[in-house]
Amino acid sequence: MIAEAGLAALWLAAALALLQLALAAGGLWTARPGRADRQDRASIEAAAQLMGGVRPVAVVQGLLTAIAFGMLILVFVRSDMSVLLVATNSHSMKPLIYKIAGAWGNHEGSMLLWVTVLGLAGGAIALVERQLAQRTLVATLGAQAAIALGFYAFLLFASNPFARVVPAPADGNGLNPLLQDPGLAFHPPTLYFGYVGLSVAFSFAVGALVTRDVGPAFARAMRPWVLGAWIFLTIGITAGSYWAYYELGWGGWWFWDPVENASLMPWLAATALLHSVTVLATRDGLRAWTVMLAVVAFSMSMIGTFLVRSGILTSVHAFAVDPTRGSFILALLVLYIGGALALFGARVGTVKQGATFEPLSREGGLVFNNLLLSVILGIVLIGTLYPILAQAMGTQLSVGPPFFNKTIVPITLILMAGIAVGPMIRWRRDEGQALINRVTVPVAVAVFVAAGFFAFASEAGAFPILGLGMAAGLAVASVAPLWKRNLLRTPLFTWGMVVAHLGVAVSVAGVASERAFTTEKLVAARVGDAFWVGPYRVEMRGIRPEIGPNWSAIESVLSVRRGDGASFWMHPQSRYFADPPTNTSEADILTAWDGQLYTVVGQPDGQGRWQLRLWWKPFVTLIWAGGALIGLGGLLSLIGRVRRERRQGRRELAAA
Amino acid sequence: MKAKHQRLALVALGLVAVMGASGLALSALKDEAAFFYAPADVAGKAPPVGRAVRLGGMVEAGSIKREGDGVTIAFTVTDGKATVPVTFSGIAPDLFKENSGVVAEGQFRPDGSFAADNLLAKHDERYMPPEMAGKMAAAKTLEQ
């Protein structure tokens, strides 16, 4: 019955989304501006009633999606094998957390999660949004309902998560062991919050276009959603990268895999949007561009969903290999993006020109930032889609890391210079000479650090050394906005910017250091053999079997010592899962203040030796620490913005 | 700056950025697009030496040999039309076995052999790199 209840909730939610769209469209149509002169009392009242219904419907729709998703988790927790999805993706012997995570660790469940987050976001807008004009809010919720309808149709007609299987199997297939990891259990929801947050920004943009209401109020209403989406994307990408690093056992942290690109592209677009929406909110500039970016950002999350869920890609992350579903998502993509672009084309002429500014100004700097981010986005998009397009034309080819490294790395270095200088430029207009004076210190630091590395560690390579120099300069520049300020009275969103930009410097320093100074040792080790890697002496002390809840493993016992320090144990494992039969490498990673020791055990060679792979990766942790700082900066900005707007709202209320 | 001029400047900048991105991407694509090779692609002509590429195919039956150092293996990759000898130093994935699909990351040596720094084996029965699925299907069609 639980599964049927979930399905019923899903159908009801879909019906409510249809109602929400109809109410919004009807209300806006009845009250359309052209009719204002001949509008009688009755039709004004009718429009008000129609539009008044939109908010409660959106809230109930959100609740119903949550109920449906709750039912899905329940059937997974109870291991109800008569539900097809549970039978194919779960196992009664699995730990509880992976039973729950199993609910979204598959195609149907993850699409239901998508809709749930979408529904809850719509409900949240309906509940909390007080800044927008009612017409724009109604149009926004209408757009949100239109997006949701497509996904409801997708779930109900092409990928029903609650489908039964007759006869029910005795036990399930299990979950891919690579996915049985706490990090991964929460990785997809995090990214989905980001994707769906961008769909809210998209709905705001559509709503503002429909009612021709593009301006600072619209930007302020949209900004928290963009910020929220961006924070989740940042955390999701950072966590995903760390997961790939420790779980795959390859020692790499970014592979330019199309599925990684699928989350990077919306992040790039959201980063650009975040900066342009600030220009729109504070200086009323870049109106059309901001709306366009909101459309692009959501397009990127749709393309991401399409790439991952269509079966076009084969990767660790892609579950579905089903052309019908691929075509369905592609159709949705074309419908939404095409519709939004058509609306944009039709209405962009009526979006009034915003405030103007001089090229040398904070606004100009943000335009520069937007252009560079767009260029990076364009390159990632080309590199990701080109092989697929070529394949459609009948040519087989493949684009790999060399392409991205060659193109993205130099642009990122330019972008870093922009991030460093941008916040030092004044709004509206600035003087060249004054700006040059302000950037002297960071530039000197960058040059000094880079020159030092070239002199004493030139084997590291040109790009890593440039990266380290730029990171040092950016670190100094990013705290410059706090210079000579009362730190306690500095607004929280200024702190957010400082912390996020500092995070970029920290991340780049980690990347460059890992590139430049990693040392690796690959050996066939007998018990008793010892090896040096970086500052560590690693001794193989034994090999033993281990048993876990649903796996068995061979574990190597390593005694590790650094200099004269105390020795300690490390235990990398090679695990075997019976259901489905899969092997994974569990690396053992030691984190020190200045880097990580990464150990992996491989196969025996039949003569008493075992393969061992040891890496010393100096300052590799900075990569993710920087990601966390970027996310934290976003969070500080979000809190700062929401608090300031609340205060302003109260003041306006008191004045009125 | 007048509004009209500013809009023009922004549009021009945008165009420059888009053209720059496309130019950069396309020139890099020209160099790097041929990233994936099947043995048949390099049979009879010189493979690209010293560039990071991928080689994909099936591990030939009976070809896996372990070298004396305990960490290097040698095997041949085939796509039914040609074969390429490969050496790999490292921990091979557990699903790496004979008559099974593999994608090797590394570079060709001047003698036409392949030095791999990483092996990707299929990790479940559904996995096959898209490039390879096409190539294998083409090879099968030719055999018939």
Side-chain angles (χ1 to χ4, degrees):
Chain A
M1 280 313 284
I2 298 171
E4 282 68 29
L7 191 60
L10 202 58
W11 273 105
L12 275 176
L16 283 183
L18 193 61
L19 178 64
Q20 185 179 331
L21 180 60
L23 285 176
L28 288 172
W29 181 256
T30 317
R32 67 189 183 278
R35 286 184 43 167
D37 46 341
R38 51 197 167 82
Q39 225 168 25
D40 52 309
R41 242 191 127 80
S43 72
I44 291 175
E45 250 168 42
Q49 269 180 353
L50 286 173
M51 291 201 279
V54 171
R55 276 189 198 240
V57 169
V59 174
V60 178
Q61 184 212 331
L63 285 178
L64 282 169
T65 55
I67 290 173
F69 191 61
M71 294 296 158
L72 187 70
I73 292 180
L74 202 55
V75 290
F76 266 87
V77 169
R78 294 171 53 144
S79 292
D80 182 351
M81 294 301 163
S82 69
V83 176
L84 180 62
L85 196 62
V86 181
T88 42
N89 292 291
S90 195
H91 194 282
S92 54
M93 295 297 287
K94 226 165 45 168
L96 179 65
I97 176 175
Y98 298 124
K99 283 186 186 167
I100 298 175
W104 60 77
N106 58 74
H107 168 80
E108 286 84 354
S110 65
M111 294 318 293
L112 181 57
L113 176 64
W114 221 116
V115 165
T116 304
V117 181
L118 192 70
L120 289 176
I125 305 173
L127 278 179
V128 304
E129 184 51 55
R130 292 279 175 268
Q131 295 207 15
L132 274 182
Q134 195 205 14
R135 285 168 43 78
T136 309
L137 177 69
V138 164
T140 300
L141 288 173
Q144 191 76 0
I147 298 173
L149 268 178
F151 283 93
Y152 285 128
F154 182 50
L155 274 168
L156 293 170
F157 300 129
S159 2
N160 175 8
F162 297 105
R164 296 276 188 183
V165 55
V166 180
D171 224 324
N173 277 347
L175 175 71
N176 183 344
L178 278 174
L179 304 180
Q180 293 194 25
D181 179 270
L184 206 70
F186 297 101
H187 174 56
T190 314
L191 281 181
Y192 278 13
F193 281 118
Y195 280 5
V196 175
L198 289 179
S199 85
V200 176
F202 172 85
S203 298
F204 271 109
V206 170
L209 278 176
V210 167
T211 57
R212 297 181 173 86
D213 190 16
V214 181
F218 148 77
R220 278 198 297 272
M222 181 165 89
R223 179 160 55 188
W225 293 94
V226 178
L227 255 173
W230 182 82
I231 294 167
F232 278 112
L233 284 174
T234 306
I235 296 172
I237 292 173
T238 307
S241 158
Y242 193 64
W243 170 79
Y245 170 77
Y246 77 77
E247 178 70 22
L248 294 181
W250 299 345
W253 50 273
W254 190 262
F255 299 96
W256 292 109
D257 183 279
V259 173
E260 290 173 333
N261 295 346
S263 64
L264 180 65
M265 290 189 289
W267 184 85
L268 288 167
T271 311
L273 178 58
L274 197 60
H275 290 88
S276 81
V277 87
T278 299
V279 177
L280 181 53
T282 51
R283 307 235 41 97
D284 196 15
L286 300 182
R287 288 179 164 187
W289 173 250
T290 302
V291 172
M292 182 69 191
L293 267 185
V295 173
V296 168
F298 177 61
S299 309
M300 291 305 146
S301 52
M302 284 292 292
I303 288 177
T305 313
F306 169 67
L307 286 177
V308 180
R309 293 285 168 258
S310 63
I312 254 185
L313 302 173
T314 318
S315 123
V316 185
H317 314 63
F319 311 116
V321 184
D322 181 349
T324 345
R325 289 170 180 170
S327 343
F328 209 119
I329 302 187
L330 189 61
L332 287 183
L333 191 134
V334 170
L335 191 70
Y336 294 150
I337 310 311
L341 286 179
L343 181 67
F344 182 77
R347 284 287 162 88
V348 73
T350 68
V351 173
K352 285 202 201 76
Q353 177 73 29
T356 60
F357 50 85
E358 293 293 311
L360 188 60
S361 63
R362 180 75 71 83
E363 294 94 321
L366 288 168
V367 168
F368 179 72
N369 139 308
N370 265 236
L371 285 176
L372 284 179
L373 285 168
S374 308
V375 166
I376 297 178
L377 174 60
I379 290 174
V380 177
L381 188 67
I382 292 174
T384 311
L385 294 186
Y386 186 64
I388 298 171
L389 292 180
Q391 191 172 9
M393 311 272 198
T395 330
Q396 288 283 341
L397 57 82
S398 168
V399 175
F403 165 79
F404 293 103
N405 291 340
K406 209 173 194 171
T407 48
I408 307 280
V409 173
I411 305 177
T412 306
L413 290 177
I414 304 175
L415 180 63
M416 284 184 71
I419 303 173
V421 177
M424 296 188 190
I425 315 177
R426 292 178 205 283
W427 289 102
R428 238 171 308 192
R429 71 177 301 164
D430 205 345
E431 299 299 325
Q433 190 55 48
L435 182 61
I436 290 172
N437 293 342
R438 266 173 262 149
V439 300
T440 314
V441 175
V443 169
V445 169
V447 170
F448 181 75
V449 169
F453 277 109
F454 268 117
F456 297 106
S458 59
E459 74 282 357
F463 273 132
I465 290 178
L466 279 179
L468 285 166
M470 297 291 284
L474 175 56
V476 173
S478 55
V479 294
L482 299 178
W483 183 248
K484 288 185 182 164
R485 278 185 92 143
N486 180 340
L487 294 186
L488 287 178
R489 305 197 61 176
T490 304
L492 213 45
F493 44 81
T494 305
W495 276 102
M497 177 188 76
V498 167
V499 170
H501 285 184
L502 193 61
V504 176
V506 169
S507 255
V508 171
V511 171
S513 176
E514 197 262 354
R515 259 288 133 86
F517 303 117
T518 292
T519 52
E520 180 188 354
K521 185 146 271 178
L522 175 71
V523 289
R526 278 201 174 80
V527 173
D529 288 352
F531 312 92
W532 283 91
V533 55
Y536 287 92
R537 181 181 180 274
V538 179
E539 189 183 339
M540 171 85 137
R541 296 288 284 271
I543 285 278
R544 65 185 185 202
E546 273 294 319
I547 294 289
N550 53 351
W551 47 263
S552 58
I554 292 293
E555 182 176 279
S556 85
V557 182
L558 305 175
S559 162
V560 181
R561 178 186 213 135
R562 178 173 187 162
D564 296 331
S567 73
F568 47 88
W569 301 106
M570 289 180 77
H571 307 103
Q573 295 178 337
S574 177
R575 280 189 192 169
Y576 174 74
F577 290 79
D579 247 340
T582 317
N583 286 78
T584 65
S585 280
E586 289 295 306
D588 197 357
I589 301 173
L590 166 82
T591 306
W593 66 272
D594 58 345
Q596 287 189 325
L597 177 65
Y598 190 115
T599 61
V600 185
V601 65
Q603 287 97 350
D605 71 343
Q607 301 162 31
R609 294 188 297 183
W610 296 77
Q611 288 185 326
L612 271 187
R613 197 164 193 173
L614 313 169
W615 275 285
W616 167 242
K617 291 173 174 288
F619 298 106
V620 67
T621 34
L622 293 186
I623 299 173
W624 307 290
L629 276 181
I630 298 173
L632 176 67
L635 189 63
L636 291 178
S637 292
L638 182 61
I639 296 171
R641 292 287 177 206
V642 170
R643 271 173 44 183
R644 165 169 287 201
E645 251 129 57
R646 269 232 188 120
R647 224 175 298 142
Q648 260 171 5
R650 265 205 301 273
R651 217 171 294 146
E652 275 158 28
L653 216 69
Chain B
M1 223 182 195
K2 284 220 186 80
K4 200 172 163 194
H5 291 154
Q6 186 180 345
R7 198 178 333 183
L8 276 178
L10 286 181
V11 167
L13 263 175
L15 279 179
V16 168
V18 167
M19 275 161 38
S22 319
L24 192 59
L26 290 179
S27 81
L29 269 184
K30 210 170 62 189
D31 295 345
E32 308 289 353
F35 177 61
F36 186 91
Y37 289 84
D41 295 336
V42 291
K45 57 180 174 225
V49 172
R51 250 185 48 208
V53 292
R54 282 184 179 165
L55 171 75
M58 291 289 182
V59 181
E60 202 161 42
S63 75
I64 301 182
K65 287 187 186 63
R66 216 168 264 283
E67 313 260 307
D69 65 359
V71 291
T72 305
I73 50 172
F75 57 95
T76 52
V77 164
T78 177
D79 58 356
K81 287 180 277 184
T83 60
V84 173
V86 179
T87 58
F88 167 69
S89 291
I91 296 178
D94 303 276
L95 287 164
F96 171 78
K97 53 183 184 243
E98 292 171 353
N99 282 324
S100 179
V102 68
V103 174
E105 293 183 331
Q107 37 196 272
F108 285 100
R109 296 200 193 87
D111 65 358
S113 68
F114 193 82
D117 349 290
N118 203 1
L119 293 184
L120 319 173
K122 63 171 206 159
H123 66 253
D124 70 53
E125 62 285 356
R126 284 178 297 180
Y127 175 76
M128 183 175 277
E131 304 95 333
M132 236 178 78
K135 293 226 155 104
M136 300 303 294
K140 273 196 189 123
T141 327
L142 281 178
E143 276 167 24
Q144 283 161 3

